[in-house]
Amino acid sequence: MKKVDKEVADAYFRTRTILIVIFLSIGFLVSFGVVAFAEFFSQFKFLGVEFHYYMGSQGAVVIFILCLFLNAVLSDNVDKKFGIDDDANASISSGKTVDH
Amino acid sequence: MDAQTLVSLGLILATFALYIGISIFNRAKQTSDFYVASRGIPPFWNGMAIGGDWMSAASFIGMAGTVLALGYDGLAYIMGWTGGYLLLTFLLAPQLRKYGRFTVPEFIGDRFDSNPARLIAAIATIIISFTYIIGQLSGSGVVIGRLFSIPAMYGTMIGVVIIAIYASLGGMKGVTWTQVAQYIILIVAYIIPIVFMSLQVSGNPLPWLTYGNVVDEIGAIDRELGLSEYFAPFAESDKSQFIALLFTLMVGTSALPHVIVRFYTVTTMKAARWSGAWALLFIGFLYLSAPAYAAFSRFILMTQVAGQPMDELPGWTDSWINTGLLEIADQDGNGVLDWTEIAVGNDMVVMATPEIANLGMFVIGLVAAGAMAAALSTAGGLLITISSSFAHDIYYRLMNPKATDKRRLNAGRIAIVLSTVVAGLVALDPPGVITQIVAWAFALAGGTFFPVLFLGVWWKRMNAQGAVTGMLVGLASTLCYIFLAMNDITLFGIQDTGAGVIGVPINFLACVIVSLVTAPPAQHLQDDVIDLRYPEQMTYKDGEVWMNDGTGK
């Protein structure tokens, strides 16, 4: 066991939290944001459909999926930067979970 | 039996044999096999299993029809049921995984160190999953009943027997791999018909790119007929109801116990993040296709069926009129069937479209097998959740903590068989419209669990009193609003299906206020919450973070 500096530990948590806030804001804007101003967006067209309809039927879902994959990749990079090894995670995790 | 019935039946039986084979091969030997598949499922396959677990008979059979009937307003289901995975993967799943328990009630009981909270959570889990499973069983009844032209009741009974056998045999490990197989079957069955329809209508095999133009043409026909255009926003409901429904479905999705438990089956927080990403990709294939399904069916109905003389209607219309899902009447008596004289039931669109578009016996049979896969995979996941709430949380953690592995496994199996039989009996005569019951399950899940789980993993000051009050007040206010809205007493035009927007904030407030006016939780419980900020290799202890580099303590 090695002690982690408080700044380092806080920096890890801060980076992860910022990622979460950014991605959830994007998700919120493309769903609730577009719905709230649907009448306004209906004057634009995208791929042959009114923009509000496109976002509801495809755009929002595609952006949700991209957010999740981007977050998974970026979070892996954050882990790597802080020296976290996933194999070690897995073996620690299997010893620590309550399997009763 | 005609050739179509034989083909459909053959496909369904072949897939059933596959599922049962998989469960026997992955038979559970220990309790951790039974509840969390020994926590060793790779994220890619877990994502696929989440897809199968998640996409129910309502998604498969009902969603395209809902979009067809409601136009833009039906898209709240598409965005809500996918957006929930954002909340789940960012806010709950990795943290719950690191906490490392078997079930949602167990997390709530241990995090707040409170057996009353555990019991309330277990009972709420059973109520929510039970509501949801009734829809699945009656959905399978509709498919089997239509297939053999027998009452849906007997179809439901056949479905109940199959589900009980494989869920009790395999436990979570068996269910995981059957859900993977069921996902593959249901998604193939969903996409093949729209690829053919897209070819028929536009000559391009990629429906996701072509249906925009079809939507536009439908809008043009609507204009001609003087109807509100298909894509016009808020034509069928208020904007407030749209937003409330979207909110309810999103928050409810992220708090459904049978979905959360799937994230317990992987190794680490990282694997939980990847599971969520894969899951939404696999789910997205169906949700991105549903509006295309709706647009093509509506287009074919509008251009090829509407406008036909009444005595030259295609053969499929008769059999669907018999089920009560299709109504046609020559109201103006001119001998021609107009578009406005056709009433299409939501639940027939996906099942009937292959017939309407003349896609051949094999595709029609495949869609029937896909619908069964959707119903069975969700029912399997729900049964494991009900059984673990009873056998693990209530029987083992509260009643008999000394029970052996074997006794607990048996208790779990008995709970599965019992709940299947009871849910099957209720499903014989379902208490309401299926999509409506399913929406209530989301409102209840969000209203009862989301604030408690969210604050439980992010706010160390949250305590047992807050959790108990939050769950009870959330459950009660959601139920209350559903009841009031059913009797036409509504706030801001929000209907019963949007009840989560009332229950969730009330639950949040109750959790925060009650936690703050009562004593803070014990120090080790608070430390556990801070520990969830970091990956497994980092541990928070006594105000400091330690890195486990393999050198011991």
Side-chain angles (χ1 to χ4, degrees), chain A residues 1-6 8-10 12-13 16-17 19-20 23-24 26-28 30-32 34-39 42 45 47-50 52-65 67-69 71-73 75-76 79 82-86 88-94 96-100, chain B residues 31-32 39 67 71-72 75 78-79 82-83 85-87 89-91 97 100-102 106 208 211-213 215-216 230-234 239 242-243 246-247 250 267-268 270 273-274 276-278 280-281 284 287-288 291 392 396-397 408 458 531 533-539 544-549 551-553:
Chain A
M1 289 282 211
K2 199 172 67 194
K3 199 178 140 186
V4 181
D5 283 337
K6 193 169 174 346
V8 177
D10 286 350
Y12 179 86
F13 180 57
R16 297 273 304 111
T17 311
L19 280 180
I20 293 173
F23 283 120
L24 283 184
I26 295 174
F28 181 81
V30 299
S31 52
F32 288 97
V34 174
V35 173
F37 299 99
E39 293 91 345
S42 66
K45 275 204 167 188
L47 284 182
V49 207
E50 265 72 3
H52 71 284
Y53 189 92
Y54 178 79
M55 286 307 288
S57 65
Q58 286 192 343
V61 180
V62 170
I63 291 170
F64 292 159
I65 296 173
C67 282
L68 285 181
F69 274 99
N71 169 65
V73 172
S75 299
D76 283 1
D79 276 6
F82 283 84
I84 306 290
D85 171 27
D86 196 54
N89 274 341
S91 64
I92 292 166
S93 169
S94 72
K96 254 178 97 178
T97 43
V98 186
D99 277 338
H100 43 197
Chain B
T31 42
S32 76
R39 305 195 194 269
V67 176
Y72 178 72
L75 298 181
I78 307 269
M79 286 189 277
T82 50
Y85 280 85
L86 234 54
L87 296 179
T89 313
F90 281 111
L91 299 178
R97 173 60 193 88
R101 295 299 193 273
F102 274 169
E106 187 171 40
W208 306 277
Y211 82 91
N213 302 321
V215 168
D216 226 29
Y230 181 57
F231 44 73
F234 319 122
K239 188 191 264 189
F242 190 110
I243 291 178
L246 182 57
F247 178 87
M250 257 192 211
T267 49
T268 55
K270 173 186 165 171
R273 287 195 292 271
W274 279 99
W278 287 117
L280 193 58
L281 177 71
Y287 283 62
L288 290 173
H392 188 72
Y396 173 62
R397 296 300 302 271
R408 285 154 55 199
W458 289 99
D531 189 52
R533 297 175 177 182
Y534 308 108
E536 284 84 354
Q537 221 181 345
M538 290 172 155
T539 313
E544 277 158 353
V545 181
W546 297 83
M547 178 81 133
N548 187 336
D549 50 5
T551 55
K553 303 232 162 170

